[in-house]
Amino acid sequence: QKLVGKSTHRQQSTNQDLVESLVHRQHLAELKNLLEQLHTGDIAYILEALPFTDRMTLWQLIKQERGGDVLLEVSEPVRENLIDALSPEDLMTTLNQMDADDLAYIADEIPEEALHARQETLTTDDQNWLRSALTYEEDTVGFLMSNEMVVVYETDTLELAAKTLRSFAELPIHNDQLFAVDRRGLLKGVLSLQTLLLKEPALPVQKVMSTDFVKFSPYDDASDASQAFERYDLVSAPVVNERGKLIGRLTVDVVMDYIREETTEDVLSMAGVSGEEDLFAPILKSMQNRGLWLIVNLFAAIMISRIIGLFEGTITHIIALAALMPIVANIGGNTGNQTGALIIRAITLGQINSKNTFYLVRKELCVSALNGAVIGIIVGLFAYIVYQSLALACVIALSMLLTLTVAALVGLAVPIVLEKIGRDPALGSSIITTAMADSFGFFIFLGLASLFLV
């Protein structure tokens, strides 16, 4: 379409403006027709892959009907970018397409005035729900739960429960079970759709409902809940307060979104990016997002250069050391990052505790020592073949053994220490681990060379 537009613009005619306007309108109509055939998730995916100008062109075509749904599907940085770009009128049009659950999910990104204005148009029950949802921390079950669920009384018959189900104009998403409560609203059990369909309609719910089910508190950690969903293959699960009263429902789609966001954040944090970034964000914003850890990396590089500077005389005396130094840095840094990645995953899954830490340290030391011995022999043979020096070969071999062992310890320590002080164990761990492993590696290699070769 852009190529056609440029070609039309280059052509000279008496009705140039009219022709260009007609071509532009035709293109918009074609785009709108294509968008109408796409799933909301596909539209969100396309918006994330477009530069800002094209992104806003497509947004104008979907805002009136599906703007709210698309805004929920796009990644957080793209959502913030869109919200900032929308006029107050367009933003309210989009917010009016969202229910209380949706508003609670993105409340932190909506301007306070707009959120308050939309809240005033909700029903009293939805207003109360939204106010309650906004009291929960971001990484808790309460923040992720929904109030859309099917509730029946435990004393109802299955026939009455089925009638309650049919009374809904549209069933809540991922509705695989009904929640059975008593007259006080306390959760007593869950009734699967399979049981509802296959059992005799005259049976009471309390006779066939399951009382052995997974439930959550709104204050439970969202990462723990996501692990439970994976472990027990859950589609939905009830959320109850401290008195056992049913207050909401957690669903697999929200949990999957949470897992994706956390995984993306961890990967970026390990690389030293402060948070998820819009690929087409303004240059200054992207620079700020990445700059902090680059500065940290710079100071780490300066520290490494000073360590090397301590052995300047040794390197000048034996030029071969300069050629072998990158091998030490590369293998040591990779070893530390391998160990660090495994530890971060274990911390995330809750697999590390005070009882197994010593065993884990011992195991990683053994693995790194064995790898160090094998790689040390290979590098030693390489050094002997190239430089015909047995002493140099022995020094580089011993250096690799010690460097890999120390690098593994660093890879273990960095995420564990970050977690102990209340920080994200993935936050900059790759940069920190690489810098420390390189520093120790150079110090060990050049130190041994100074002792035995000079």
Side-chain angles (χ1 to χ4, degrees):
Q1 289 182 349
K2 285 184 176 181
L3 288 173
V4 171
K6 290 178 181 178
S7 176
T8 304
H9 182 71
R10 285 195 297 266
Q11 294 176 2
Q12 300 298 321
S13 67
T14 55
N15 298 315
Q16 182 75 19
D17 292 341
L18 177 61
V19 172
E20 289 187 19
S21 176
L22 289 173
V23 169
H24 180 66
R25 271 189 265 176
Q26 180 185 355
H27 286 168
L28 291 181
E30 291 174 357
L31 279 174
K32 189 170 184 179
N33 183 54
L34 284 171
L35 290 170
E36 287 174 351
Q37 302 173 43
L38 293 178
H39 187 275
T40 303
D42 293 329
I43 297 175
Y45 175 79
I46 292 170
L47 287 177
E48 291 177 356
L50 288 176
F52 178 76
T53 303
D54 293 338
R55 182 182 292 168
M56 295 310 298
T57 299
L58 259 63
W59 176 263
Q60 295 301 320
L61 299 177
I62 56 108
K63 65 179 182 181
Q64 294 294 337
E65 298 173 359
R66 291 201 281 174
D69 291 336
V70 172
L71 197 64
L72 289 169
E73 290 290 336
V74 295
S75 62
E76 184 175 328
V78 173
R79 183 161 53 240
E80 291 176 352
N81 180 275
L82 286 171
I83 290 175
D84 290 342
L86 295 180
S87 67
E89 295 77 17
D90 284 347
L91 180 58
M92 286 309 302
T93 299
T94 302
L95 296 182
N96 287 334
Q97 300 171 22
M98 300 182 181
D99 58 24
D101 284 343
D102 300 336
L103 292 170
Y105 185 68
I106 64 170
D108 290 343
E109 300 153 44
I110 303 174
E112 189 173 343
E113 303 81 15
L115 179 62
H116 180 72
R118 175 64 178 110
Q119 188 173 350
E120 291 299 314
T121 65
L122 298 173
T123 64
T124 302
D125 287 343
D126 282 343
Q127 286 185 27
N128 292 335
W129 163 262
L130 181 57
R131 278 193 290 268
S132 174
L134 293 179
T135 62
Y136 298 112
E137 296 291 333
E138 186 171 349
D139 291 326
T140 62
V141 169
F143 182 82
L144 300 178
M145 70 179 180
S146 165
N147 65 343
E148 295 182 344
M149 51 191 170
V150 183
V151 181
V152 296
Y153 290 114
E154 61 176 342
T155 54
D156 290 347
T157 62
L158 294 184
E159 183 178 9
L160 186 55
K163 186 176 180 181
T164 300
L165 199 62
R166 287 193 295 271
S167 69
F168 283 77
E170 183 179 354
L171 285 179
I173 189 171
H174 299 298
N175 189 81
D176 64 323
Q177 55 189 357
L178 287 64
F179 301 130
V181 300
D182 62 15
R183 295 296 169 178
R184 296 172 297 168
L186 302 180
L187 182 64
K188 296 299 181 179
V190 297
L191 178 68
S192 69
L193 292 181
Q194 177 175 298
T195 300
L196 179 64
L197 291 172
L198 299 181
K199 296 295 183 180
E200 289 295 327
L203 288 173
V205 170
Q206 60 188 358
K207 290 290 185 180
V208 294
M209 69 183 185
S210 172
T211 56
D212 181 18
F213 55 90
V214 177
K215 60 184 177 183
F216 299 104
S217 161
Y219 302 103
D220 285 342
D221 192 277
S223 62
D224 293 338
S226 65
Q227 292 175 37
F229 264 73
E230 180 186 13
R231 188 179 305 123
Y232 303 118
D233 295 325
L234 300 178
V235 175
S236 68
V239 182
V240 298
N241 64 15
E242 62 277 3
R243 295 188 294 110
K245 184 176 181 179
L246 180 67
I247 60 173
R249 182 178 72 120
L250 193 61
T251 54
V252 66
D253 60 321
V254 176
V255 171
M256 287 184 65
D257 287 342
Y258 173 80
I259 293 173
R260 179 188 64 80
E261 291 173 3
E262 289 298 299
T263 302
T264 301
E265 185 178 325
D266 285 347
V267 171
L268 293 175
S269 293
M270 289 181 67
V273 179
S274 298
E276 190 175 357
E277 180 182 307
D278 179 2
L279 193 61
F280 299 100
I283 294 174
L284 287 178
K285 190 170 183 179
S286 295
M287 183 195 76
Q288 293 170 358
N289 191 36
R290 308 177 201 180
L292 174 62
W293 284 104
L294 288 178
I295 294 173
V296 173
N297 205 12
L298 171 63
F299 282 106
I302 291 173
M303 180 182 69
I304 293 172
S305 73
R306 296 317 307 144
I307 291 174
I308 296 173
L310 294 174
F311 301 95
E312 187 174 334
T314 304
I315 297 172
T316 305
H317 186 71
I318 307 174
I319 302 299
L321 297 178
L324 295 173
M325 280 165 54
I327 299 176
V328 176
N330 185 275
I331 301 299
N334 283 339
T335 299
N337 284 325
Q338 282 181 346
T339 305
L342 291 172
I343 298 304
I344 290 169
R345 180 179 181 276
I347 291 174
T348 303
L349 297 176
Q351 296 175 341
I352 296 180
N353 53 56
S354 57
K355 296 180 180 179
N356 62 19
T357 301
F358 177 74
Y359 173 82
L360 188 62
V361 172
R362 187 177 61 183
K363 179 249 184 182
E364 288 300 321
L365 284 177
C366 290
V367 171
S368 59
L370 288 173
N371 280 332
V374 172
I375 292 175
I377 292 171
I378 295 172
V379 175
L381 288 173
F382 167 78
Y384 181 75
I385 293 171
V386 173
Y387 299 106
Q388 297 296 306
S389 171
L390 181 60
L392 178 61
C394 291
V395 165
I396 187 67
L398 181 58
S399 297
M400 294 308 302
L401 172 62
L402 296 176
T403 297
L404 265 64
T405 304
V406 172
L409 281 175
V410 171
L412 271 166
V414 169
I416 291 176
V417 170
L418 287 172
E419 197 265 341
K420 289 293 183 183
I421 63 176
R423 305 302 298 271
D424 183 351
L427 184 61
S429 62
S430 177
I431 291 176
I432 298 172
T433 300
T434 300
M436 294 182 67
D438 287 354
S439 299
F440 284 120
F442 286 136
F443 186 82
I444 290 170
F445 178 48
L446 297 176
L448 290 176
S450 297
L451 286 175
F452 299 107
L453 299 180
V454 178

